């Protein structure tokens, strides 16, 4: 190599890290600008579409649908999802921080979910079934351009409070090529004609903070009077075709497969990538050419 060529090579080698640094700084600046444009709400928040409400303490803030989708789609790079009702964000960590996490709210009106199977559900057996379905779905996931996904196990075993009619559990997942395992923490609040879904994502290194935060959030949400679980009237109201086990299993009982409505949230570098429920359902229909009954 000539001296001129060597100098050029050295110049490129020295320039590349600087370019990467500048690009990272530019992305960080854009993220900070987006976060500063958000309109946070605190205290009592009505979720009119779901006939529910939040009574948030000082440790949480709420983003309405437009801002929630701005975070999901513009900040975290997700596909559009019009099922999002809003987002609950902890005040302790900024949204553009590496350790940020948030809770995505959606609702389902498939009918009143019977909790008769809650006490008798074999959760270790259900986990094994979910793991098998996750592995079986990987071929289709790869065809759709997603990485293979593996359900490692429970990060929090399922718990059902029969008094408050609230169900929660957490999964540890790994995706090929991801720098760390992902935590998915789920809450389902059962109501008269469906349920409210609260889905949080973080890296497994933040599991303690998310678990503590979700337990604080759990009593802050409920349905409005007349729309609560106890208001169900079997003479007039629709009964869902699935129970507690199917809510946790992601649609096993509905024969949709875990891929169709997995609701899994994944991590990539410093950004969250949420596989939107509506987007996954669309992919399922694309692959199999028909609509299937599914569970969020």
């Amino acid at each position: 190599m000539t001296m001129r060529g060597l100098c050029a090579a050295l110049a490129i080698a020295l320039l590349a890290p600087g370019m990467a640094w500048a690009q990272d700084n530019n992305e960080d600046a854009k993220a900070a600008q987006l976060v500063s444009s958000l309109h946070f709400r605190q205290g009592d928040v009505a979720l009119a579409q779901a006939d529910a409400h939040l009574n948030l303490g000082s440790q949480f803030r709420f983003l309405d649908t437009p801002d929630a989708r701005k975070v999901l789609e513009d900040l975290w790079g997700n596909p559009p999802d019009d099922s999002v009702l809003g987002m609950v964000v902890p005040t302790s960590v900024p949204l553009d921080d590496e350790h940020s996490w948030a809770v995505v709210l959606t609702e389902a009106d498939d009918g009143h979910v019977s909790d008769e199977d809650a006490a008798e559900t074999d959760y270790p057996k259900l986990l094994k079934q979910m793991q098998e379905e996750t592995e079986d779905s990987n071929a289709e996931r790869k065809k759709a351009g997603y990485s293979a996904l593996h359900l490692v196990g429970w990060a929090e075993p399922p718990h059902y409070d029969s008094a408050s009619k609230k169900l929660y559990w957490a999964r540890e997942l790994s995706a090929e090529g991801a720098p760390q395992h992902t935590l998915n923490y789920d809450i389902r609040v059962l109501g008269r004609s469906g349920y409210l879904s609260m889905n949080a994502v973080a890296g497994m290194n933040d599991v303690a903070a998310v678990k503590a935060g979700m337990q604080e959030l759990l009593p802050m949400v409920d349905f409005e009077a007349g729309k609560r679980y106890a208001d169900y009237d079997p003479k007039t109201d629709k009964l869902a075709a699935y129970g507690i086990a199917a809510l946790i299993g992601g649609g096993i009982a509905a024969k949709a497969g875990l891929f169709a409505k997995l609701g899994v949230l994944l991590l990539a570098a410093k950004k969250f990538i949420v596989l939107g429920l509506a987007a996954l359902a669309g992919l399922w229909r694309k692959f199999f050419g028909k609509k299937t009954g599914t569970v969020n």
Side-chain angles (χ1 to χ4, degrees):
M1 177 181 291
T2 65
M3 181 59 69
R4 185 174 182 179
L6 179 59
C7 290
L10 286 172
I12 293 173
L14 291 170
L15 180 61
M19 291 175 64
W21 178 82
Q23 184 176 1
D24 287 344
N25 275 357
N26 188 40
E27 290 181 357
D28 289 345
K30 287 182 178 180
Q33 185 177 10
L34 187 149
V35 171
S36 66
S37 72
L38 301 175
H39 302 88
F40 291 97
R41 297 167 58 192
Q42 289 186 287
D44 293 333
V45 176
L47 301 172
Q49 185 176 336
D51 294 311
H53 64 271
L54 298 166
N55 185 13
L56 299 178
S58 60
Q59 63 271 50
F60 293 105
R61 296 184 293 176
F62 181 78
L63 291 175
D64 287 310
T65 299
D67 276 346
R69 291 190 62 179
K70 187 186 293 186
V71 172
L72 290 170
E73 297 165 21
D74 299 336
L75 182 62
W76 293 346
N78 294 272
D81 189 344
D82 60 7
S83 69
V84 174
L85 297 179
M87 176 183 287
V88 176
V89 182
T91 57
S92 57
V93 187
L95 274 171
D96 54 344
D97 187 89
E98 182 178 356
H99 297 285
S100 64
W101 61 280
V103 186
V104 181
L105 278 67
T106 58
E107 59 94 23
D109 58 356
D110 299 332
H112 184 81
V113 180
S114 172
D115 62 356
E116 292 180 356
D117 66 335
E120 60 190 38
T121 299
D122 186 338
Y123 292 121
K125 181 179 179 180
L126 178 61
L127 174 62
K128 183 178 180 181
Q129 196 173 356
M130 292 165 63
Q131 288 172 324
E132 291 173 352
E133 290 212 7
T134 305
E135 296 302 323
D136 291 343
S137 73
N138 277 330
E140 297 298 341
R141 290 182 58 80
K142 289 181 177 179
K143 286 182 183 178
Y146 296 110
S147 300
L149 185 69
H150 309 288
L151 176 54
V152 178
W154 300 125
E156 178 80 63
H159 299 269
Y160 178 64
D161 185 339
S162 59
S164 65
K165 304 302 179 183
K166 294 176 182 178
L167 170 71
Y168 65 90
W169 72 97
R171 294 163 289 174
E172 179 181 353
L173 301 118
S174 66
E176 291 182 1
Q180 65 169 307
H181 286 191
T182 300
L183 171 70
N184 274 200
Y185 198 115
D186 294 275
I187 292 176
R188 300 291 182 269
V189 183
L190 305 187
R192 176 176 179 173
S193 58
Y195 60 88
L196 185 68
S197 173
M198 307 176 72
N199 199 304
V201 61
M204 281 301 296
N205 58 348
D206 294 314
V207 61
V210 176
K211 281 186 177 184
M214 292 297 272
Q215 285 300 306
E216 291 176 342
L217 183 61
L218 193 62
M220 297 180 184
V221 57
D222 207 346
F223 283 96
E224 303 291 356
K227 298 297 182 179
R228 295 171 184 167
Y229 197 85
D231 298 317
Y232 170 66
D233 185 347
K235 295 180 181 179
T236 59
D237 297 338
K238 176 184 176 182
L239 184 66
Y242 50 84
I244 296 295
L247 279 182
I248 299 169
I252 293 173
K255 299 180 181 179
L258 199 59
F259 176 68
K261 279 281 191 174
L262 189 57
V264 163
L265 313 178
L266 299 179
L267 290 172
K270 293 185 179 180
K271 296 182 179 179
F272 296 144
I273 296 181
V274 182
L275 304 185
L277 302 183
L280 285 176
L283 287 171
W284 183 263
R285 290 193 292 270
K286 176 181 177 182
F287 290 136
F288 297 98
K290 61 180 180 180
K291 293 185 178 180
T292 56
T294 56
V295 178
N296 286 314

